[in-house]
Amino acid sequence: MNHLRRLGNTVSIPIKADEDGFTGRECLNASCEGYFKIEFGTGLKGEGLPCHCPYCGHTEGHDHFWTKEQIEYAKSVAMRKITDSFHKDLKKLEFDHKPRGAFGIGISMKVKPGRPTPIHYYREQKLETEVVCANCTLRYSIYGVFAFCPDCGQHNSLQILDKNIEVVGKMLDLAAEAHADLAQKLIENALEDCVSAFDGFGRELCRVHANKASNPGKAEKVSFQNLEGAKTKVSSLFGHDLSAQLAPDEWRAANRGFQKRHVVAHKMGVVDQEYVDKTGDPNATVGRKIVITEEDVRSTVVVVRKIARGFAGYIVTTKQGDGVMSVNGGDNG
Ligand SMILES: [Zn+2]
Ligand SMILES: [Zn+2]
């Protein structure tokens, strides 16, 4: 049984990367089972580093993240190797004793090739967003947009916000070159996209860190399309002031930008009393069209990035039970 013996107790099966260099991974957390891909060799260097599920954050060694398909493939390849070796070993035992004399009985054993064990081939799935982690440079691919980096565990919400804001900047550049009517539309859309990007960012941050809020259920429902509203809610849920690192006119300018977006999105771009009350905009007249300049959007973008960084920096370092909760805890102590 030399062939079989040579296989030893372990059979190692290489799992190849797909045509883009990615290897599929699957979360073993039963309530997640999320599928994602990473490019081995990018990201953190070192042996035995853990892997973080980009969707649920579950952390475990890389050898726990094989996909069901990869396991089926590996099993079938191993099975094939074993049966092939077994077959070769049996083949060596073949014999053929010819009958002797007139009434002798001949005995022979011939090993015929059987059907080989079928290999369970698979293809890695196509995913929706490719990310290069801004922190550790791991290249990974996911469904949806937001994720934890599988290598360093850092959430990509700021990175996605920056990416979207980069596009906002490009729209404004385009507007500077375009015809007046198209330019106006581009500027309005850029403002809309800036607000949406911030809303998406804020919601995701609250969702991921909901367990740190005084009311996790409410934390997952905070809208960031209205800055003042978001400020009030974030303050009461997480104990963080969104305007903390801003000069008063920076906050005012961003708030005005967000209110202008509201007028464009919900009032056909016509100023109403609510807008005037909320912003105190001296250039706005009720019943007239709102004026949005490239500069309005650019300054809103700058402030949005500051607010986002302040909030992310605060919430990432806050532990569950800190922040708002510890203020209450402090009363007891
Ligand atoms: Zn997961
Ligand atoms: Zn990373």
Side-chain angles (χ1 to χ4, degrees), residues 133 136 149 152:
C133 175
C136 76
C149 169
C152 70

Side-chain angles (χ1 to χ4, degrees), residues 294-305:
E294 184 192 327
E295 200 35 53
D296 284 336
V297 186
R298 293 214 189 265
S299 53
T300 304
V301 159
V302 170
V303 182
V304 155
R305 296 190 69 213

Side-chain angles (χ1 to χ4, degrees), residues 161-200:
L161 175 74
D162 286 346
K163 223 173 159 182
N164 286 326
I165 275 181
E166 210 182 291
V167 178
V168 168
K170 285 181 186 163
M171 285 170 90
L172 292 175
D173 293 343
L174 217 60
E177 312 265 298
H179 244 274
D181 49 349
L182 180 60
Q184 194 50 46
K185 202 76 209 155
L186 280 168
I187 291 171
E188 286 174 7
N189 287 352
L191 180 60
E192 178 94 51
D193 286 1
C194 169
V195 172
S196 303
F198 180 69
D199 186 46

Side-chain angles (χ1 to χ4, degrees), residues 27-29 32-34 53-58:
C27 180
L28 69 164
N29 182 355
C32 175
E33 293 192 350
C53 169
Y55 308 107
C56 74
H58 182 87

Side-chain angles (χ1 to χ4, degrees), residues 70-280:
Q70 288 164 343
I71 291 169
E72 283 310 310
Y73 166 77
K75 272 191 197 162
S76 68
V77 173
M79 222 32 211
R80 167 78 70 91
K81 282 191 174 182
I82 291 164
T83 50
D84 280 0
S85 301
F86 188 55
H87 192 261
K88 279 179 190 151
D89 288 340
L90 276 183
K91 192 90 184 154
K92 281 194 174 156
L93 300 178
E94 279 183 347
F95 58 86
D96 187 11
H97 298 301
K98 300 282 182 229
R100 287 192 191 152
F103 300 102
I105 296 171
I107 298 178
S108 69
M109 182 182 89
K110 189 104 186 107
V111 179
K112 289 195 180 140
R115 242 160 51 93
T117 319
I119 302 292
H120 179 100
Y121 288 103
Y122 68 97
R123 264 190 88 77
E124 297 296 2
Q125 299 170 40
K126 283 266 167 247
L127 294 176
E128 292 165 345
T129 305
E130 225 185 276
V131 187
V132 175
C133 175
N135 186 42
C136 76
T137 71
L138 179 79
R139 200 171 149 248
Y140 63 100
S141 177
I142 47 165
Y143 282 116
V145 175
F146 291 115
F148 297 98
C149 169
D151 248 15
C152 70
Q154 189 175 88
H155 199 265
N156 70 352
S157 48
L158 266 180
Q159 207 180 329
I160 296 295
L161 175 74
D162 286 346
K163 223 173 159 182
N164 286 326
I165 275 181
E166 210 182 291
V167 178
V168 168
K170 285 181 186 163
M171 285 170 90
L172 292 175
D173 293 343
L174 217 60
E177 312 265 298
H179 244 274
D181 49 349
L182 180 60
Q184 194 50 46
K185 202 76 209 155
L186 280 168
I187 291 171
E188 286 174 7
N189 287 352
L191 180 60
E192 178 94 51
D193 286 1
C194 169
V195 172
S196 303
F198 180 69
D199 186 46
F201 159 84
R203 284 176 188 272
E204 178 66 9
L205 207 61
C206 288
R207 186 188 69 79
V208 169
H209 298 281
N211 59 355
K212 297 171 182 175
S214 54
N215 182 334
K218 275 192 179 159
E220 297 202 29
K221 292 190 191 109
V222 179
S223 161
F224 287 81
Q225 292 191 352
N226 176 324
L227 268 189
E228 285 292 351
K231 178 181 148 113
T232 309
K233 285 186 184 128
V234 166
S235 166
S236 84
L237 287 164
F238 295 99
H240 173 69
D241 178 4
L242 289 181
S243 66
Q245 284 131 324
L246 304 177
D249 24 313
E250 279 184 310
W251 177 260
R252 217 174 297 126
N255 198 39
R256 193 173 289 172
F258 274 56
Q259 290 298 335
K260 284 189 177 184
R261 198 283 320 182
H262 182 85
V263 168
V264 169
H266 303 290
K267 310 284 172 189
M268 292 294 287
V270 178
V271 174
D272 60 1
Q273 192 58 47
E274 192 188 343
Y275 171 82
V276 175
D277 293 344
K278 280 187 171 163
T279 63

